[in-house]
Amino acid sequence: MLQLLGLAPLIDLVGAPGLGRSEIAGSASPPGYAQPPDVELILTASPGEIGLLPGAPTRVWRFTGELVRGPASTLQTLPDSCLGPVIRVRRGQRVRIRFRNRLDEPSIVHWHGLDVPEQADGHPRLAIEPGAEYVYDFDVINRAGTYWYHPHPHMRTGAQVYRGLAGLLLVSDSDEDALGLPAGAGELLCVLQDRRFDAGNQLVYADAGPSGMAQMMATMNGWLGDRMLASGRVQPTLDVDRRTYRVRLLNGSNARFYKLAWHDGSPMVMIGGDGGLLERAWIRPTVTLAPGQRADVLLDVSAHAPGSEVRLQSLAFPSAHVGRVGMMMGQTPPTPQGAALTLMTLRVSSARAPAFVVPPRLSAHQAVDGASAPVRRVPLTFARMNWQLDGRVFDLADVAAAETVAAGSTHIWEFVNQSNPMGMEMAHPIHVHGRQFRVLSRAGGAANSLREGIADAGWIDTVVVLPGETVRVQVTFSKHAGLYLYHCHVLEHEDMGMMRNFRIA
Ligand code: C2O
Ligand code: CU
Ligand code: CU
């Protein structure tokens, strides 16, 4: 009974093996810490096996969930998927998650897109040892939207995500409820990932095997797979009714960019991005999704013939539109950036459900006006065989003066993806922890077929900066003080140091 009264969390935090006391002492407890949470769950990362391809099962690392308290709808296990459970929470809920590390290496979980206290953000310095538990306590203050969670340990994020550690975290709220969007059977979850398998169906990643030039180049360019997974299954086919679907897309790939389109010419009707609903639907033939980004789209198949198919594809584009290090060096991967791909097939049945009419206005959007905010220039460069942010690489503790901001203050960060005479040029999806931000302007760069599909209209937490571009974003930083991260979401770039701390003072 004491547990329910809220005494347990204090004991747990202090008693958690591997979690330094100094870190606890030095941090503020979340507000209302002694209150019992609305939702409590145990999330365990452990090795497992799953049948992904015909033949031998694939060894993966996966998250499994167990609901301790809260609505049964909080946890949704995806059948036959290597992804972690879908976590569904509502804005305003107080959440406690006990993360248990049953891997054989340190780990820590980050809630990508959520504005949470420092202790709950999953900074790599908070990573726990095998066998240990880390308790996250936070209030859900984000808007309804498609968020996600994944590990964030020092230099091992790419390897851990690649082996299967990732999941969706969906937030709902009354603003979203009011729209009556397709839900339940009318909602499709689609996490896009690419993987490479060996002849025995085992995952192949840059950290295994001989470390030579090829591995190094693959790391600098971002690790690409040649088999496509949608929600943790290899190129699935799903049966759908004749109705409107809400398709929640997440690019959970380590490095691959997608130019998404429906093969039958249905438009991409995007209603939401990283940070929830757009003001109005954004309708285009393609949506560009870089690693880390989400798109909430509507697909109406109510007029499709029973038996017909709609395939989600990534259309071909020149690989130079993402770019790579030294075009002349290393091998071209079997399925390079820009290869045409089929990601998921929807097979239309004869059953009908009402189509959904997209309302002209989806949400009220606060206008952005960066006129008076200070501007910080952040060059994205390649130097000394490393990707860098503002001329620096990651250090667990280091924060520059330019990386210190006041709680709740508004800044403009200008990401400058500098052209480089050596051809060391790539698109980088830059992610800022803690707060959704807005794009003020996008300029420069050569003609690029990915640009038309970039939705700059909504609240986002990850912004694509194409080769040669300068992109200005306006961020109003969290009111939670502490040490947070911003980084490239090409996970190999992040792991090699294209990441920095920023401090909210
Ligand atoms: Cu999705 Cu710092 O991460
Ligand atoms: Cu994040
Ligand atoms: Cu990058």
Side-chain angles (χ1 to χ4, degrees):
M1 227 31 226
L2 282 181
Q3 295 207 335
L4 298 181
L5 294 174
L7 287 172
L10 291 165
I11 296 160
D12 274 54
L13 253 181
V14 174
L19 178 61
R21 278 171 176 270
S22 58
E23 281 157 7
I24 300 158
S27 75
S29 295
Y33 187 62
Q35 301 280 322
D38 302 303
V39 165
E40 178 170 351
L41 47 97
I42 299 168
L43 193 66
T44 304
S46 55
E49 259 190 3
I50 184 166
L52 287 174
L53 297 170
T58 302
R59 288 186 295 278
V60 294
W61 292 350
R62 61 206 303 205
F63 285 119
T64 48
E66 187 189 322
L67 187 64
V68 176
R69 178 192 186 98
S73 58
T74 306
L75 277 185
Q76 177 191 355
T77 304
L78 299 173
D80 306 320
S81 168
C82 61
L83 290 179
V86 180
I87 301 175
R88 292 178 191 264
V89 293
R90 279 188 79 78
R91 183 179 198 169
Q93 276 180 335
R94 170 156 302 150
V95 174
R96 173 168 307 144
I97 303 176
R98 301 163 176 274
F99 166 57
R100 293 185 177 164
N101 181 4
R102 298 292 180 266
L103 307 171
D104 60 6
E105 61 180 55
S107 191
I108 192 76
V109 182
H110 168 61
W111 319 99
H112 181 128
L114 295 194
D115 182 353
V116 296
E118 177 186 34
Q119 286 298 315
D121 197 50
H123 191 282
R125 75 187 192 292
L126 303 177
I128 55 167
E129 294 300 320
E133 175 175 291
Y134 190 94
V135 182
Y136 295 85
D137 272 294
F138 58 88
D139 291 335
V140 179
I141 61 173
N142 282 68
R143 303 170 77 217
T146 307
Y147 305 92
W148 64 300
Y149 61 96
H150 60 77
H152 221 301
H154 191 37
M155 299 172 72
R156 291 290 291 164
T157 296
Q160 292 192 6
V161 172
Y162 189 85
R163 286 181 171 78
L165 295 171
L168 286 166
L169 196 164
L170 306 179
V171 176
S172 59
D173 65 13
S174 52
D175 293 345
E176 186 191 64
D177 293 346
L179 291 178
L181 293 169
E187 182 189 62
L188 300 177
L189 306 176
C190 187
V191 178
L192 301 171
Q193 296 177 311
D194 58 333
R195 296 289 183 265
R196 210 177 291 176
F197 295 90
D198 67 15
N201 288 351
Q202 302 313 310
L203 293 166
V204 178
Y205 188 63
D207 60 350
S211 57
M213 185 65 177
Q215 300 294 83
M216 199 171 85
M217 295 307 296
T219 306
M220 287 193 293
N221 289 317
W223 187 259
L224 299 174
D226 45 23
R227 300 299 296 261
M228 300 305 135
L229 276 69
S231 291
R233 296 167 60 198
V234 177
Q235 285 181 309
T237 296
L238 311 178
D239 288 311
V240 296
D241 294 343
R242 301 171 74 195
R243 60 172 296 168
T244 307
Y245 282 89
R246 177 185 192 180
V247 187
R248 294 177 181 256
L249 298 158
L250 154 67
N251 184 349
S253 308
N254 282 34
R256 187 175 292 281
F257 287 62
Y258 298 94
K259 183 178 179 176
L260 299 173
W262 301 110
H263 94 285
D264 68 342
S266 296
M268 297 296 291
V269 179
M270 183 164 162
I271 58 166
D274 299 342
L277 294 166
L278 305 178
E279 186 175 8
R280 11 186 136 259
W282 190 84
I283 303 172
R284 293 289 188 286
T286 64
V287 166
T288 297
L289 218 54
Q293 293 189 303
R294 286 84 73 203
D296 221 327
V297 303
L298 293 178
L299 172 69
D300 182 1
V301 292
S302 59
H304 282 57
S308 62
E309 284 184 353
V310 185
R311 291 191 285 279
L312 179 65
Q313 297 188 313
S314 184
L315 302 184
F317 60 86
S319 63
H321 291 181
V322 168
R324 57 191 285 234
V325 169
M327 291 290 186
M328 309 311 291
M329 289 191 281
Q331 287 170 347
T332 301
T335 309
Q337 295 279 12
L341 306 165
T342 296
L343 307 168
M344 164 174 90
T345 301
L346 305 179
R347 199 167 43 204
V348 182
S349 75
S350 55
R352 265 188 190 286
F356 174 80
V357 181
V358 188
R361 204 179 161 81
L362 296 161
S363 73
H365 255 225
Q366 197 185 314
V368 278
D369 168 24
S372 58
V375 180
R376 171 180 176 223
R377 195 179 145 86
V378 185
L380 316 180
T381 49
F382 188 85
R384 292 187 290 280
M385 296 306 275
N386 223 320
W387 294 105
Q388 304 190 341
L389 286 175
D390 199 4
R392 302 181 182 94
V393 292
F394 185 62
D395 175 275
L396 275 169
D398 188 41
V399 195
E403 294 171 321
T404 303
V405 296
S409 64
T410 299
H411 291 255
I412 293 169
W413 281 8
E414 183 183 69
F415 300 112
V416 185
N417 198 348
Q418 288 173 340
S419 296
N420 184 311
M422 304 278 287
M424 306 298 191
E425 192 172 83
M426 279 190 76
H428 300 283
I430 303 297
H431 171 49
V432 182
H433 279 215
R435 262 304 165 100
Q436 301 292 321
F437 54 79
R438 297 284 291 277
V439 175
L440 291 179
S441 65
R442 175 181 295 279
N448 192 314
S449 65
L450 293 176
R451 194 173 289 124
E452 65 189 22
I454 296 177
D456 279 335
W459 292 101
I460 57 175
D461 54 48
T462 307
V463 66
V464 189
V465 190
L466 295 172
E469 278 190 340
T470 293
V471 178
R472 283 191 162 205
V473 302
Q474 177 175 321
V475 198
T476 298
F477 286 96
S478 173
K479 298 204 167 75
H480 294 120
L483 200 61
Y484 293 90
L485 301 160
Y486 65 108
H487 58 87
C488 179
H489 221 285
V490 169
L491 298 181
E492 291 74 28
H493 291 183
E494 169 186 335
D495 282 340
M496 67 192 281
M498 197 181 194
M499 172 157 79
R500 290 287 301 171
N501 288 312
F502 69 92
R503 181 177 295 287
I504 300 182

